[in-house]
Amino acid sequence: MRQIDLHTHSTASDGTCTPAEIAALAARQGLAAVALTDHDTVLGYPALQEAAAILGLETVPGIEISTKYGGAVHILGYYIDPHSPELEPVLNWVVRDRDERNEKMCALMAADGLPVSYAEMKRRFGEVIGRPHFADILVELGLASSVRDAFDRYVEKGQRYYVPRTILPIERAIEIIRLSGGVPVLAHPFQYKRDDAGLRELIEYCMSQGLRGMECRYSGYSPEQSAYLEALAEEYSLVKTGGSDFHGSNKPQIALGTGIMDNLSVPYEWLVQLKELAGK
Ligand code: AMP
Ligand code: FE
Ligand code: FE
Ligand code: ZN
């Protein structure tokens, strides 16, 4: 059966592969389609599309927005119009807010004598800079042994260089995805540490705001976990999606298309239903 990957991050956000490299990897894996779901930006999509066209690979425009509902919740949006007047100003605002937070993190590091410059980070990493880029720098400077270690000791909440950023309310994230023609999907539902009742509460609230889908297959989720999510999606009439959350070497254990130790496979049939819902 033809397979797809609907959750990937490129150098346009905190991945380490360019959109063109993602297209090449997806083609090499024999995937039928790949979605780009960078955090807070759609800037990588044209390059993915261009590279994929040559390879005969189908692409899906997407985004992943960090929101808050109780704790952190991530919402994916598929088939958003990147030039929508609803989407663009909000994303610009999110990136400016990131810049302000990031400048503060740089200042904390500089105060400890670390040679970091935000202007240089922007040149090197691009428009959307997040804590994974700071983690990269801490590894390079020899202060941490891995991105994971850098998070644990320096940039995770409560650690020395952590500065919070403003997070969009979940209602607003779902709304801007819908208003820009996209399909809002609940990302990696087990990441929120909710029990069955808690997860149902989250799903029902999101659906009251316009949620249309749920990520049922995800790197690291067991077949039992995926089956549980698929049954929930069917019960709530949500479209099923799945993807690896590929970040290149920032999450080295995750492979495009196949997840962690080959545990992931997402059928093309799911994309057919997503497209139908998006009117594509
Ligand atoms: P930011 O949005 O800039 O505050 O950074 C959040 C991003 O950092 C998330 O989307 C993850 O990709 C990544 N992240 C968060 N916690 C960790 C962790 N413990 N190890 C590696 N990456 C993480
Ligand atoms: Fe990320
Ligand atoms: Fe996420
Ligand atoms: Zn992601």
Side-chain angles (χ1 to χ4, degrees), residues 9 14 39-40 64 66 74 98 101-102 105 128-135 147-152 155-156 162-165 167 188 245 247 250-251:
H9 297 264
D14 59 350
H39 301 285
D40 305 331
E64 182 174 25
S66 305
H74 291 180
R98 275 184 176 281
R101 186 278 308 262
N102 294 341
M105 291 181 69
V128 181
I129 298 198
R131 284 180 287 150
H133 300 111
F134 286 94
V147 168
R148 182 68 211 264
D149 181 43
F151 262 89
D152 288 349
V155 297
E156 199 60 272
Y162 173 78
V163 179
R165 62 185 182 89
I167 301 293
H188 40 62
D245 212 355
H247 277 71
N250 273 339
K251 293 191 181 173

Side-chain angles (χ1 to χ4, degrees), residues 6 73 88 124 137 156-157 227:
L6 296 180
V73 174
E88 222 172 353
R124 177 170 161 198
I137 286 180
E156 199 60 272
K157 191 172 180 173

Side-chain angles (χ1 to χ4, degrees), residues 63-137:
I63 193 161
E64 182 174 25
I65 303 179
S66 305
T67 75
K68 216 163 32 188
Y69 183 73
V73 174
H74 291 180
I75 301 292
L76 295 158
Y78 293 107
Y79 293 106
I80 44 204
D81 168 8
H83 303 300
S84 155
E86 301 290 342
L87 192 63
E88 222 172 353
V90 179
L91 296 185
N92 288 339
W93 176 84
V94 172
V95 172
R96 279 200 306 276
D97 178 77
R98 275 184 176 281
D99 285 338
E100 283 174 26
R101 186 278 308 262
N102 294 341
E103 297 266 18
K104 289 179 194 158
M105 291 181 69
C106 276
L108 288 175
M109 291 167 75
D112 277 351
L114 302 181
V116 287
S117 136
Y118 194 52
E120 175 56 29
M121 285 182 76
K122 278 279 210 183
R123 268 195 297 280
R124 177 170 161 198
F125 296 122
E127 188 71 5
V128 181
I129 298 198
R131 284 180 287 150
H133 300 111
F134 286 94
D136 280 346
I137 286 180

